[in-house]
Structure formats: structure tokens, C-alpha cells
């Protein structure tokens, strides 16, 4: 597998999307900066380095993944608007980047997400309602990363790139052929930790795919505030390949991530994938994108919607019938109900939970504070509602 | 008359505006401080009025923010850097404690670094992990830094002005849970010294010290205690480095009892330093040990548990009761 | 008989060797720990015997060292990371306090991070800036970490063994000025609990607490005081998080007086926490306030001034005198 | 000015050094990866991108700078061996990198050294004995950076790259045409701070030259422990040019740094210069290089000695006579004496100096501690030598 490397350029070049191509042209298209296998119109295109064979069933599966992911995200966001606590980022628009990459890796591979890869979590088989605890404010994650080889969400941006690299160093020591995937955003690419992860991964030849979701924005800051050249180019300076893929094209993301995982697990060291996509919603429910971006931009990207695109492909290729779409809508509604129900019935943790899990092997101060707090609570039980002045 | 009732967020915004107006060397920098006006809108409208050259959206790298702020200060600027949330200051910790705090000494006084680091801190806003921490003790232990935290809009306005004017680096902790609380701000007034503690409610039976978000709790506790016939003297510490021990001593010599309340974990927190020093200064006056009430020795908990974790009214009053029981 | 007289450096080296031998998951990593054997030669010969795969020279990036150590721990390894000098730990501060300390809690106990961070700390070696600091308080305030510091070769050997066996992250502070001091090490012995303080010299008039490099000073002070007819009970704290307050309380209830000595700045240092808590526990036993002697509120000074800065014998004795004068 | 960018490569390619070149070949030599204008044999070669006109006087000046720098370094190192406190890195072998770059910039430019650029300091006109205070242990630097536009030494590796970038952002704001130079080592290139400096400098188009002295070693670690591709290539991934120069060739370093400074001051943003050189001595007096590197390596590099090389050139071009070399030796001896004398007579600071300069605007705790310590000292004055137990 070869990966293009081009000289720095002030503005990213958009891959040309042709409506019609002759067979000859399809055989040897010019190598575009961004890998694309599916145009926004749902038409297949070929790429010299990345081929992908698909069955109609696989296409439907990817479509279902994306639809359910979007619905899950919408539901979680709506609950927050409805007054539920917590703030989580919305991934609307990034379903192809998440599902394509999530479906590219195997069970034995290991994924380090940043803090909102619900789509990847879905692919890993993580029970969706487990993801809600942290945004509902009942825990900070709390699932077992080893159950699905899906690490906890990491909120401090960039940190997990190092954890993934260390994990991959361990994989290499074990002689295992697992691939490790580290997700991060365009904004996070500026963090020193991500650069150090690049350095360590390259020097130790660690089997880690750095998967950067460039959704054009870091809250209110456009990607140009992080780099004046396309982000995938950063890899070359650290001695490993980088590639940009159309992040709204689930087939291209799947093919490229699969190739990247193969690259790293065959001992060639790390690889960077930049998925060029777009955050269609607000950063969080308390964000207000009208302050910093224009409606026209959203319109441009709505035309490239990853779900719409695959639907057009399914229709074009006659890979799905009406019943499929109707069934999926029902499934989606059911899932939404289940999410709402799960949120509604999610029990608040017991107050004493504060004193659990700070240490694995115990700590006398925690014991002392636990006992003190229990006595304090017992005081209320003895004397009624205490001073009754809670609420400041 | 320049006195006006406003929220702390507005007071901070006005104070930044004032500084940008009065000194062309003042800069505001940080993540999302420009068009968005910051995630808490503290810098709202400033980039529009002062330009991208003075109100600067930075790459997402906290060490880079503080490191370049130091460089800008070396060039003669007075940068005010915003760290988006308390829990995101640690990537910049090295630049703050190793460079920002020590360069004046390293140069034997030839270099001055008038940098203000604004950090919204504390909990009570129902946020996810890393958005509710109180790391002030981790900076107060480090010589070369000054640490302050306003407890009301007027102090927010004036203390920020004074921090910006100060030739030393100042870590300016803003109690984010109090951003929308209103108070009288007299922008024409004459502020007291930046590092002086203030008796915000006089009393006779026990001194209750708080700063930042816990000042409001302490005042509420004093009201509640009064109903029970107990007179609390509430002191707003305002400055965590230096600490105005003189004012505390003066109060404790009168009341004989001291309770310190802060959101940060009690272990190695500001309360420990206050307790140790006041006990030394007031050994023969204290009728009870100095007691502390604050966060537990645990990571800041998920939102649904923060009421349990934070030193709220009941926990403060219980601590006061314990001190009075001696 | 496995008892042998050796320097602390040798004891640490033997302890690492033992750990590498007994558990294939144990790794040693850091800057220059391989061929060079570390700048203090604590890892001398280990790479030769255990290979580059287990004794790993890392790129020069402290955040990267701790961040990848966390990843290795997640994969089932037990990394022992060396930070070359105290003053170089801050670039890793974020990974330590935000990730290493909190991941166990974040996972509700599902993830364990048995990582040891070895840091040579303290002054007295005539070094340039950043090579003589005592940052333990900056870690002790952070829940999720355990902090220990041995004061003699035997403790160095055993406490390191125990730290490596511990399923929690441990910051292991090594008193670099004591690396070449010798003591008896019984590698066949049975060590006491890792976090227990030890009475290293019994006495009756005043309790003197120290840890790491100041234990030697404290013992010397006790000898000197004896000449003046004063009996000091010297306690080696050994663990800074948790702190064994029970042993301190037991001693102070007997002596009625307590002095805490450490190299770190006094302001917000470990002495503050000890003073606050022991005053609370022993309020009616204390005949004097708990006094602290340690570093000043200044960056660690150049080598020619470190004797003035450090709590040496004279400053410790003067502090003891002050406590006895009450 | 164009700067080559090549694809990553596992091993750095050495620039070919030809003994004889035809006029035609000298006009259009193949563009080597590393810029060289002077062979180890002291013969001039040309480079398509970097020309340098020199007078005999200039060559003698550069030679003198290098000889005095080496002597200063040797003297400082010897004093340490002689039992003086402190530990400073030795720069032997890196004189061309320091003098070439130090002479390339103007007075209005601003230099941020790491912690041992005595040669650069010399070029900036910093009084040499001022540099000794920190290694003698009487201060942490203490000179006024603005006197010579030469910042304090920074020991924590990489930090100063950000200070330089911030300073350069200020220069740009001021509309000044100063160039800023940030020095760091091959080891330091792995620090997140250096990566963040690259990001900030590129995004703000800051006029900063990143000058990396790749002396092959970071204490005991070879450069391969930091990167698997040549370090100059890192710049391209951040969107600015990087170039490798023969760091033992003072003429090439001068020409390249001059061009880089011109590049940054003309508003084209940052540039990275990697000076490929060698640390001939131990890292510090307490280091033991025999543990990690082989004698043969040193021999290879001794043949490329930067001072020897320029001496050969001076001889070849008849640019210096015996008297020049004799005078220089005398000057060098005098300077050495002056350094020894300065060290010997350097007064210890007063104990109370601890309480100065922590703050510019004062701090009550410092006042209290100052008073307390003064009283403590006064106690000794009153009662003789105190307990007289000092010395633990
Ligand atoms: C170290 C750190 N600084 C700041 C933040 C606050 N923050 C959360 S998300 C975000 C934007 C991240 O942008 P990007 O990396 O592009 O990810 P996206 O949200 O666009 O997926 C910021 C600044 C953080 N979480 N961590
Ligand atoms: C953050 C940090 N970590 C570790 C050190 C200790 N240290 C001092 S010099 C050095 C090697 C630096 O190598 P390099 O950057 O190549 O510079 P050189 O000494 O070779 O010029 C190390 C590890 C330090 N000064 N700062
Ligand atoms: Mg983004
Ligand atoms: Mg080097």
C-alpha cells in the first residue's frame, strides 16, 4: 500500500467528484488528495490505492449503523435540551467517519475514543445506554474497557493518544497482531500529547492508527486555527504515512481504516488517518454556532450528508427495498424509546459512592472520610432534616 | 455614579474591556475567547471591538497558551490568558510553575512577567469530569505566583483590574457557579489592596473563612446560625497567595474559633495552611482546633453526587457546630 | 543471611532487579535508564540483563513517558517510570493528576493502573536550577495517588518492592542526597506496611517528624539535643499520602509537642496538613503549636545558597527550641 | 528561497563531499539533503540555494569566534573537574553551529538559547563570565536578556521554543522586522512544547527560526530514539520549511541561518534549521560516554572538526598568517586566565538574597520569612555559633 504525500499547501484541495466516468478513467483516475469511494450523489468511484468489495447486505448494515447512531445522538441531545444535566458533544454529520472506522477493525483490536464516539462504541458492541451515564451525571464512564476493547471516554483532549500508543507498545511486546486505534479531533491535534504520541509510536514502531476526525471546527475555532496545512501531512514529519479520507463517505473510511489497521498490525509502525468531515450540530447544547459560522457552510455540508449519500447508493444499486427502510425506522424508534426510558430510570448513585474506587488497594484517609461522612449522615437520621438549609 | 447592579460575568467582561481600553499592551488570549466570547461569554464582544490582534483565539494547547503568553510578556505585552476550565490547566502546569513563576527570580529581577491566568473554577454546575475542580492549592505551594479568587461581582471587577496591573503573574480563579449572581459594582470606586481579606459579615462566636464560591455558602451559614443564636464572623479570604493572616488573626483573637471552608479537597488544601499558621499565631486564643470543611479525598464526583461532595450549607454548619462544641 | 550493608542507590537497583526477575510484566522506562543506567546509575546493568524490551530508553518527553506507561498498564504491564529529576516532572503533571490518578475511579474500579513513578528529589547536591526540588505536596493534594519517600537503604529496597506490588499508582520520591549513604538491608526480611510511619528514635520531650532527606537531619538533631538534655522522638513519616496520623497522634499524646521538617517550602507543604490534623486530634495534649521548618517561599536557590534554604541542623534545632519555649 | 523537502527515509543520507569538482559541476551540483559550503578538508563547495560571499577578514573573525568559544568551554569544564560545583554541558564540536548561527543574526534580532549556547552568547556580546554564575551556583542566570537580546538559559528542555514563539508573535504585532531564534537539541525535539511552538508559530505566521542542534546524542540516547526520519522534515507537516545544514561547517550554517532569518522577517512565517553536528565531549562532567558510544564514532567526527576545517580553508585560501594564529593563541590564553580569575573571585551571594526577586511587587509571606530568617541569623550573632552542628 502506498500513501500519497504532498507538499504543504495553504488551502486543502477538494477531491473532484465526477458525475460520469469512462471505464478507462475509472481504471486510472488521478490520485486525489482525499480518498473517496462514494460521491455525495451516491455514485461509486475508484481509487488506485483503496479498493473495497461490498455485498448489498454489508451496505445495508453500514446504513443501519449510521441511522441508529444518528438517532441515538439526537435522542441524547434532546434529553439534555429537556433539562437533563450534563453536556455532551453532538456527532451529527460524522456518522460515516465513526461507522466506517468502527467497522474496519476486529474484535481483538483496541479502540481509544475521545469523548463522543458513540458510533464507534456501537460498532464495538458497547451497550448504548452505558454511554449515557456520564452525560446524565451519574458516573464518569464506568464501563469495563476490556469487555469490548473500547476504552473509556477521555475528555481532556489528546491525552488518550498516549494511552493508545503505550497500549500498542504492549501489544507489540506481546507479539500480538492487534491493531490499536486512537481517535482525536482537529482541535486536539494541537496538543503536545498528540505530538509526543506520534514520536513514541514512530520510535517504537507501535501498531497504532491515529484517527483524526477533522470536523472543521473545535467549538468555535476553524481548523485553520490549528494548522495551515492539511492535518494528515503531519505524520510524514514523524516518519510514518498519513492519508486524508472523505469522512462523509463510509466506504472510503472503511477501506482506508482497514488498510491502516493492516499497515500497523504488519509491523510497519503507526499510521495517521484524517477523516475530513463536518460537525453539523452545535458543539454541545450550550454552544451557539451562529456566533461563528455561516448558514451557507452548513448547507454545503448538508449536501454531503453521509447517511443521505449511502441511501442514494443503496437506491442506485437497488440494494435495499422499502421494507428495509421502514423496518429501520421502527428499530430506530424503539431504540429511541429505550434510551429515553434508560435515562429516566437511571438511578442516582448513593452518596457513599464518593468513597469508592479512588484507590484499588485502599487509603486510610478515604476510610476516615467515609466513616466521618457516614456519621454525619447518621446525625441527620437522628435529628431529622438537620438544619434544613440545603440548597445554596 | 458608576455603581451598577450586574452579574459577576458582566463585571469580569467590563473589567477586561476597561483594561483593553486603557493599555494597548493588554491582550486577551485563549480557546474560543474571540467570536464565541468564551464558553462562559466572559470575553463577549471584545474581539469585535478590539480586533483579532488583541483578543486572540489560540490553538487548543494550554502549554502553548501560557508559553506564548510568557513570550509576549517578555516582548512588553500584558497577556490575560483564559484556561477554559479548571481541569484543563494541567497541560500548562509546567510552563506555569517552572517558567512563569520562576523567570523573575532567574533573571535576578530583570525580567517581569505581568501575565494573568484566568481560570473558571469550582463545581456546582452539573458538568462532566474535569469541569468542576478547585486546584488553587497546587499553585499556592509554588513561589512566584499570586493566587486570588473573587467572591462577588465588585471584587471580580476590581481584583481583575488589580491583577492585570500587577507586575507579577497572577492566577485568577473565577467561581463559575457564581458567574450569574448579581451584585453592586462601583466602577468609579477605590478598591482596597488586592491581597487583603475582608470581613464580609461581623460576628463574635466563631470565624468562618471562605473564598470564591464558598463565600455565598458561608454567608448563608451565618444567617442560619443567627437563627440558632450563634454569631459567625464571615471572612472572604480573596487571596490564597499571599494569605492575609493578619486579618484572620485579628478575628480569631476575638472569636477564639475558626472554620475554613473551600471546595478543594481538604487534604493539603488551603485550610491546612490557614489552620497551621493561625494555630501558631493564636495558640493561646483558640478554644477549639481550627476545623476544615471541604472536598473529600476523591476525584470530583459525577454531577449527581456533587451536592454530597461540596461543602454545602449543612456540612458547613455541622463543622461550625463541632468547633463550637469544644 | 541476606542482610548486607549497601548504599541506597544499590538498594534501589537491587529492588528493581528483584522486581524484573519476579514478574515478567514489570518494565523499567525513562530517559537514559538503559545503557547509561540512569544519571544516578540506579538502573545500572538492568538493560544488559533484562533486555531493551524491558528496560526502555524513552524519547525525551515526560508526558509521553507517563502517558505510554498508562497505556502499558492498561495492557497488563507494571511500568516503573523514572523522571530524571524532580524539576522535570511537571510536563507529565497533566497525565499524572488527570489520567493516572483518576482512571481507576473513572472506570468505577474496572481499570487498575499499577504504575510507579520514581523521582529523585530534594537538594543538597550543588546542582543547577530544577535539580533540587521537593514537589510532593503538589501530588499529595491529588486523590488517586499514593506518595512515599524512603529515608534509608532498607526502606528504599522494601518500599520500592511494595510500591511495585501495589495496584494503585505510587509516586516514589527518592532522596537523591542520600543515594550514597549506606545502611543495612535485609532482603530476606519481612517489611512493615508501606504507609506506616516509623519511630526511628524514641524520645519524650518533643516529636520531630521528617521524611526522605530530612530524616538524617532529624536524627542528627536528636543527638545534638540530647547533649543539651532534650529528648526528641524522631518519626520517619515514610508516606505522604496517606499519612499515618495514628502513629503521630500516639507520639504527640506522649510528648505534647510536634515539629515537622521537610525541604519543600513550608507554605502549603506537608507540614501544614500534619499540623492541621494533629492539632485537631491532639488539641488538649499539645503544649505548643505544631511548628514547621522547611524551605522558604522562593524558587529553590542556586547551589551556593542551598545551605541557607534547606532545613539544616541549626534551623531544625532552633525550631525545636521555639516549640519547647511554650 | 526554496527549501528541499524529501520523503521520509529511515537513515539520514550523508552529503557527498567531493575532492575535486569541475567548474560545471560546481555550478549545478545535485541538491544534497544537507547544505554544505565547506568540506571537512576545508575546500569550498557551492549549493544551488545558498551562496555566501566572504572576505578573508570575515573568515578570520569566524575562526577566532570558534577558537575562543572552544577555549571558554574547555576552561569552564576544567574548573568543574577541579571541584567547582555545578554541572554544565560541553559544546565541544558544536562551535560552527553556534558561531555560524550567532553571526547570522542582527542586533535587533532576539535569541532564545537552551542552556549551553556559550558560542551564541559570545556572538551576542554577552560578557562571558556572566555565563558562569549559574554553573558556579551563585545564580540561575541573572543577566538582563534585553541588554543583548539574548534570553536567559532555559534548562527544562523545549520550554523556550514557546517563549520564542510568543516573543515573535509580539514582534509581528509591533510591525518590527526582528527575527527571533529558538535553539533546542535533538532530544528536546520530542517535547510537546516544541510541537506546540511549531503549531503556534505556523498559525500566527510568527517570525521565528527554530534552530535545532542535532548533535547526535541526548545524553546517552542517540537521535534515533527521538525520530526515525531526519528532524528537519518535521517542519513540513506543520506547514513551514525545514532544512538540514552541515553543523560543522560554519559557512553553511551562516548562510542557511541568514536565509532563514530573512525568510521569517519577511513575513513568510517560521522556519526550521537542523544543524547536523556532534557533541565531542561528555554531556556533563558527571557523564560517562564510554558507556553508550564507541571510540570510532568520535574519530569519524574528529575528522570533521569545525575549527580544523576552517583552519584548512584559511590556509588553503591564504587568508591568515602565522602571526594571526599566534595572536589568537595569546588572546585565548588571556581569556582563559580571565575566566579562571573570574570564577575564583566570584563572590558567594548573601544568604538574604533568597528573599529577593521572587516577586516584583512584593508578597507578605516573603516579607515575613525574610524577617524571621534575619532574626534567626541575629540569634547566632547574639549567642555565638548557635548549636554549632551545621554540616548534615
Ligand atoms: C485539554 C483540554 N482543553 C480544552 C478542552 C475543552 N474542549 C472540549 S471539546 C473542545 C474542542 C475540541 O475540538 P476537536 O478536537 O476538533 O474535537 P471536536 O469536538 O470537534 O470533535 C474543547 C476546547 C478539553 N476538553 N481539554
Ligand atoms: C524536561 C526535561 N527533561 C529532562 C532534562 C534533563 N536533560 C538535560 S539535557 C538532556 C539531554 C538533552 O538532549 P538534547 O536536547 O539533544 O540537547 P544536548 O544536550 O544534546 O545539546 C536531558 C535529558 C531536562 N533538562 N528537561
Ligand atoms: Mg473538531
Ligand atoms: Mg543532543
Amino acid at each position: 500500500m502506498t500513501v500519497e504525500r504532498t507538499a504543504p499547501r495553504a488551502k486543502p484541495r477538494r477531491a473532484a467528484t465526477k458525475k460520469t466516468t469512462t471505464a478507462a478513467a475509472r481504471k486510472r483516475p488521478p490520485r486525489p488528495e482525499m480518498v473517496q469511494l462514494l460521491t455525495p450523489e451516491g455514485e461509486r468511484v475508484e481509487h488506485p490505492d483503496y479498493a473495497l468489495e461490498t455485498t448489498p447486505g454489508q451496505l445495508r448494515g453500514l446504513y443501519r449503523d449510521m441511522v441508529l447512531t444518528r438517532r441515538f445522538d439526537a435522542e441524547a441531545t434532546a434529553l439534555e435540551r429537556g433539562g437533563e444535566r450534563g453536556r455532551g458533544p453532538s456527532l451529527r454529520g460524522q456518522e460515516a467517519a465513526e461507522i466506517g472506522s468502527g467497522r474496519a477493525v476486529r474484535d481483538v483490536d483496541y479502540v481509544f475514543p475521545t469523548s463522543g464516539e458513540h458510533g464507534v462504541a456501537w460498532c464495538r458492541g458497547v451497550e448504548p445506554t452505558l454511554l449515557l451515564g456520564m452525560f446524565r451525571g451519574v458516573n464518569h464512564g464506568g464501563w469495563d474497557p476490556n469487555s469490548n476493547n473500547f476504552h473509556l471516554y477521555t475528555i481532556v483532549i489528546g491525552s488518550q493518544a498516549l494511552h493508545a500508543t503505550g497500549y500498542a507498545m504492549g501489544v507489540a511486546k506481546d507479539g500480538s497482531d492487534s491493531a490499536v486505534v486512537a481517535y482525536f479531533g482537529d482541535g486536539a491535534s494541537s496538543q503536545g500529547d498528540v505530538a509526543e504520541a506520534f514520536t513514541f509510536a514512530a520510535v517504537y514502531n507501535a501498531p497504532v492508527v491515529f484517527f483524526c476526525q477533522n470536523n472543521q471546527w473545535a467549538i468555535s475555532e476553524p481548523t485553520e486555527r490549528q494548522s495551515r496545512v492539511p492535518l494528515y501531512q503531519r505524520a510524514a514529519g514523524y516518519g510514518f504515512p498519513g492519508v486524508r479520507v472523505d469522512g462523509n463517505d463510509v466506504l472510503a473510511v472503511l477501506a482506508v481504516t482497514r488498510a491502516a489497521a493492516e499497515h500497523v498490525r504488519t509491523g510497519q509502525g503507526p499510521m495517521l488517518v484524517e477523516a475530513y468531515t463536518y460537525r453539523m450540530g452545535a458543539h454541545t447544547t450550550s454552544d451557539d454556532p451562529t456566533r461563528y459560522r455561516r448558514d451557507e457552510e452548513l448547507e454545503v455540508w448538508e449536501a454531503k450528508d453521509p447517511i443521505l449519500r449511502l441511501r442514494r447508493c443503496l437506491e442506485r444499486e437497488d440494494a435495499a427495498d422499502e421494507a428495509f427502510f421502514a423496518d429501520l425506522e421502527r428499530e430506530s424508534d424503539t431504540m429511541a424509546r429505550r434510551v429515553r426510558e434508560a435515562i429516566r430510570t437511571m438511578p442516582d448513585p448513593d452518596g457513599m459512592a464518593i468513597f469508592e474506587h479512588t484507590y484499588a488497594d485502599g487509603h486510610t484517609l478515604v476510610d476516615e472520610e467515609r466513616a466521618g461522612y457516614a456519621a454525619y449522615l447518621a446525625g441527620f437520621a437522628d435529628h431529622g432534616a438537620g438544619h434544613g438549609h440545603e440548597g445554596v | 455614579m458608576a455603581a451598577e447592579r450586574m452579574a459577576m460575568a458582566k463585571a469580569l467582561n467590563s473589567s477586561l474591556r476597561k483594561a483593553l481600553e486603557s493599555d494597548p499592551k493588554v491582550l486577551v488570549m485563549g480557546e474560543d475567547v474571540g467570536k464565541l466570547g468564551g464558553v462562559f461569554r466572559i470575553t463577549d464582544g471584545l474581539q469585535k471591538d478590539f480586533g483579532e490582534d488583541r483578543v486572540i483565539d489560540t490553538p487548543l494547547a494550554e502549554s502553548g497558551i501560557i508559553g506564548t503568553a510568557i513570550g509576549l510578556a517578555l516582548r512588553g505585552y500584558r497577556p490575560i490568558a483564559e484556561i477554559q476550565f479548571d481541569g484543563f490547566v494541567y497541560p500548562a502546569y509546567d510552563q506555569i510553575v517552572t517558567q512563569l513563576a520562576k523567570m523573575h527570580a532567574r533573571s535576578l529581577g530583570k525580567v517581569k512577567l505581568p501575565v494573568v491566568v484566568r481560570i473558571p473554577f469550582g463545581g456546582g454546575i452539573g458538568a462532566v469530569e474535569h469541569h468542576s475542580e478547585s486546584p488553587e492549592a497546587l499553585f499556592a505551594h509554588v513561589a512566584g505566583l499570586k493566587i486570588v479568587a473573587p467572591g462577588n461581582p465588585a471584587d471580580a471587577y476590581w481584583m481583575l483590574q488589580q491583577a492585570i496591573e500587577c507586575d507579577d503573574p497572577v492566577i485568577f480563579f473565577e467561581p463559575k457557579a457564581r458567574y450569574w449572581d448579581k451584585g453592586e459594582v462601583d466602577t468609579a470606586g477605590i478598591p482596597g489592596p488586592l491581597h487583603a481579606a475582608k470581613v464580609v459579615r461581623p460576628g463574635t462566636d466563631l470565624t468562618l473563612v471562605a473564598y470564591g464560591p464558598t463565600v455565598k455558602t458561608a454567608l448563608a451559614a451565618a444567617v442560619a446560625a443567627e437563627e440558632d443564636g450563634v454569631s459567625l464572623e464571615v471572612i472572604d479570604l480573596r487571596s490564597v497567595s499571599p494569605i492575609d493572616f493578619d486579618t484572620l488573626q485579628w478575628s480569631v483573637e476575638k472569636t477564639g474559633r475558626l472554620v475554613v471552608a473551600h471546595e478543594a479537597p481538604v487534604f493539603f488544601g488551603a485550610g491546612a495552611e490557614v489552620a497551621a499558621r493561625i494555630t501558631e499565631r493564636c495558640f493561646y486564643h483558640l478554644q477549639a482546633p481550627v476545623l476544615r470543611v471541604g472536598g473529600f479525598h476523591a476525584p470530583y464526583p459525577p454531577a449527581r453526587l456533587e451536592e454530597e461532595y461540596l461543602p454545602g450549607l449543612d456540612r458547613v454548619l455541622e463543622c461550625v457546630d463541632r468547633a463550637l462544641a469544644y
Side-chain angles (χ1 to χ4, degrees), chain A, chain B:
Chain A
M1 200 200 64
T2 63
V3 172
E4 49 168 9
R5 278 181 221 97
T6 64
R9 191 174 302 121
K11 288 275 161 212
R13 184 161 42 117
R14 298 279 150 75
T17 56
K18 298 200 197 133
K19 281 238 152 170
T20 54
T21 43
T22 65
R26 289 187 63 185
K27 249 184 200 132
R28 293 221 156 277
R31 186 176 271 114
E33 181 167 33
M34 180 163 83
V35 178
Q36 189 184 68
L37 299 181
L38 196 62
T39 69
E41 292 73 31
E43 193 192 4
R44 304 271 200 130
V45 287
E46 285 185 16
H47 188 281
D49 300 326
Y50 300 95
L52 187 75
E53 304 278 304
T54 53
T55 64
Q58 283 168 333
L59 291 182
R60 285 194 304 272
L62 293 169
Y63 185 79
R64 171 172 171 269
D65 289 342
M66 291 200 289
V67 165
L68 293 179
T69 295
R70 178 168 295 184
R71 185 59 182 267
F72 175 81
D73 185 61
E75 211 53 52
T77 312
L79 285 165
E80 283 181 42
R81 286 232 177 70
E84 289 295 335
R85 270 170 162 181
R87 306 191 307 164
S90 163
L91 60 77
R92 208 165 84 84
Q94 300 174 223
E95 294 84 358
E98 303 216 348
I99 299 303
S101 58
R103 288 293 175 206
V105 292
R106 308 167 309 171
D107 284 354
V108 294
D109 298 331
Y110 211 101
V111 168
F112 284 81
T114 168
S115 64
E117 282 83 0
H118 307 324
V120 183
W122 167 261
C123 297
R124 302 303 292 166
V126 177
E127 163 57 33
T129 53
L130 274 181
L131 306 172
L132 297 167
M134 103 186 235
F135 299 105
R136 162 82 181 184
V138 303
N139 58 44
H140 291 320
W143 60 84
D144 183 351
N146 289 328
S147 301
N148 304 76
N149 284 3
F150 184 76
H151 190 66
L152 299 157
Y153 283 160
T154 297
I155 289 180
V156 175
I157 58 175
S159 309
Q160 74 281 1
L162 281 168
H163 309 155
T165 299
Y167 192 95
M169 287 162 61
V171 165
K173 273 183 210 309
D174 295 343
S176 152
D177 78 340
S178 291
V180 180
V181 187
Y183 286 84
F184 58 94
D186 47 303
S189 73
S190 294
Q191 287 285 352
D193 272 9
V194 171
E196 295 189 8
F198 285 9
T199 289
F200 276 67
V203 161
Y204 295 117
N205 216 40
V208 55
V209 176
F210 294 109
F211 192 93
C212 176
Q213 290 201 58
N214 177 357
N215 64 2
Q216 315 298 320
W217 291 95
I219 306 187
S220 73
E221 299 189 7
T223 307
E224 294 80 66
R225 214 32 13 178
Q226 320 298 333
S227 181
R228 58 188 202 183
V229 287
L231 288 170
Y232 77 91
Q233 293 180 6
R234 186 148 311 163
Y238 290 85
F240 58 92
V243 61
R244 173 179 278 190
V245 61
D246 183 340
N248 284 19
D249 169 354
V250 71
L251 302 185
V253 175
L254 179 64
V256 167
T257 312
R258 206 176 261 168
E262 192 57 25
H263 176 93
V264 309
R265 77 164 62 91
T266 50
Q268 300 177 69
M271 180 159 168
L272 170 64
V273 175
E274 178 195 4
Y276 197 77
T277 178
Y278 193 72
R279 187 195 81 209
M280 295 175 87
H283 175 71
T284 63
T285 47
S286 63
D287 181 29
D288 175 9
T290 61
R291 284 176 169 251
Y292 52 81
R293 73 183 187 191
R294 307 183 334 157
D295 291 349
E296 297 89 83
E297 185 181 300
L298 189 59
E299 279 161 34
V300 169
W301 280 92
E302 262 164 359
K304 304 190 212 170
D305 187 297
I307 295 185
L308 196 62
R309 184 183 304 206
L310 188 58
R311 183 172 183 130
R312 285 185 180 141
C313 171
L314 285 171
E315 286 165 357
R316 212 183 261 271
E317 304 191 1
D318 244 343
D321 56 13
E322 278 309 306
F324 167 74
F325 292 113
D327 281 354
L328 182 53
E329 203 165 317
R330 265 190 302 278
E331 185 181 6
S332 182
D333 287 344
T334 309
M335 192 247 246
R337 257 195 315 278
R338 200 157 71 83
V339 166
R340 282 195 297 270
E341 190 57 24
I343 289 260
R344 203 169 312 119
T345 60
M346 201 172 272
D348 275 358
D350 184 86
M352 298 306 288
I354 291 173
F355 306 98
E356 301 308 312
H357 305 312
T358 300
Y359 295 91
D361 285 354
H363 191 282
T364 50
L365 175 61
V366 174
D367 297 340
E368 201 177 300
E369 290 188 343
R370 187 193 294 108
Y373 192 64
Y376 162 78
L377 290 181
F380 285 106
D382 294 352
H383 306 95
H387 295 272
H389 300 294
E390 203 53 78
V392 168
Chain B
M1 245 312 285
E4 202 188 315
R5 223 179 129 68
M6 61 175 85
M8 185 184 284
K10 179 68 171 40
L12 291 165
N13 181 272
S14 306
S15 192
L16 290 171
R17 177 174 292 278
K18 174 84 183 308
L20 284 160
E21 271 165 5
S22 4
D23 184 349
K25 291 295 184 190
V26 167
L27 305 174
V28 167
M29 58 195 289
E31 298 165 7
D32 304 297
V33 298
K35 280 221 181 80
L36 185 62
V39 292
F40 288 109
R41 310 291 184 269
I42 304 299
T43 56
D44 195 23
L46 298 180
Q47 190 182 66
K48 191 163 147 280
D49 294 343
F50 297 96
E52 292 192 12
D53 218 42
R54 298 194 58 205
V55 179
I56 308 165
D57 275 328
T58 63
L60 269 58
E62 285 76 8
S63 189
I65 293 171
I66 303 301
T68 55
I70 290 170
L72 283 158
L74 290 171
R75 180 73 192 180
Y77 286 89
R78 302 183 86 87
I80 307 167
E82 173 176 309
I83 298 292
Q84 203 161 74
F85 280 91
D86 34 67
F88 308 143
V89 70
Y90 307 115
Y93 197 71
D94 177 54
Q95 284 287 348
I96 293 175
V97 309
T98 311
Q99 304 300 334
L100 188 60
K102 297 186 171 63
M103 209 177 279
H104 182 68
R106 188 177 302 148
S107 75
L108 295 177
K110 275 134 202 153
V111 161
K112 289 176 186 169
L113 293 182
V115 175
V116 176
V117 183
R118 291 182 40 242
I119 310 180
F121 86 127
I125 63 159
V128 293
E129 205 185 345
H130 315 296
H131 290 68
S132 308
E133 300 178 12
S134 298
E136 61 276 12
L138 303 173
F139 295 96
H141 188 49
V142 178
L145 303 173
K146 291 174 174 174
I147 323 287
V148 299
N152 59 59
D155 274 358
Y157 179 89
W158 281 112
M159 289 170 72
L160 185 51
Q161 287 291 306
Q162 292 170 311
I164 296 166
E165 275 157 27
C166 177
D167 273 341
D168 291 307
V170 179
I171 316 286
F172 193 87
F173 283 104
E174 302 171 359
K176 66 171 91 80
R178 306 292 177 235
Y179 270 158
W180 310 112
D181 289 0
K182 292 194 170 177
E184 199 77 9
V185 179
D186 181 358
T187 58
I190 295 164
L194 176 58
H195 299 290
K198 265 190 202 160
V199 177
V200 287
R201 181 183 165 113
T204 52
D205 297 336
L206 179 146
T207 305
L208 175 58
V209 175
Y211 55 87
T214 49
V215 175
K216 184 176 178 179
T217 317
L219 285 169
V223 171
E226 195 174 43
E227 290 171 21
D228 298 348
V230 175
S231 164
L232 302 186
E233 176 145 300
V234 178
I235 294 184
D236 181 351
L237 198 61
R238 297 170 80 250
S239 175
V240 176
S241 177
I243 291 176
D244 178 2
F245 291 111
D246 289 347
T247 297
L248 299 186
Q249 177 176 355
W250 168 88
S251 175
V252 172
E253 284 180 358
K254 187 176 66 177
T255 63
R257 289 182 166 85
L258 177 62
V259 165
V260 190
H262 53 59
E263 292 192 2
V266 164
F267 195 59
F268 280 77
E273 183 60 40
V274 169
R277 210 159 296 238
I278 290 302
T279 305
E280 190 177 340
R281 288 199 183 198
C282 307
F283 189 64
Y284 295 116
H285 288 93
L286 280 169
Q287 288 156 47
V290 178
L291 295 187
R292 302 172 286 164
V293 56
F296 297 111
H297 191 66
Y300 195 90
R304 298 269 161 173
L305 287 174
E306 65 183 340
E307 266 180 30
E308 278 79 6
Y309 181 88
L310 291 172
L313 188 51
D314 279 338
R315 281 183 58 215
V316 169
L317 286 171
E318 188 263 355
C319 190
V320 165
D321 284 351
R322 273 195 290 126
L324 289 169
Y326 275 80

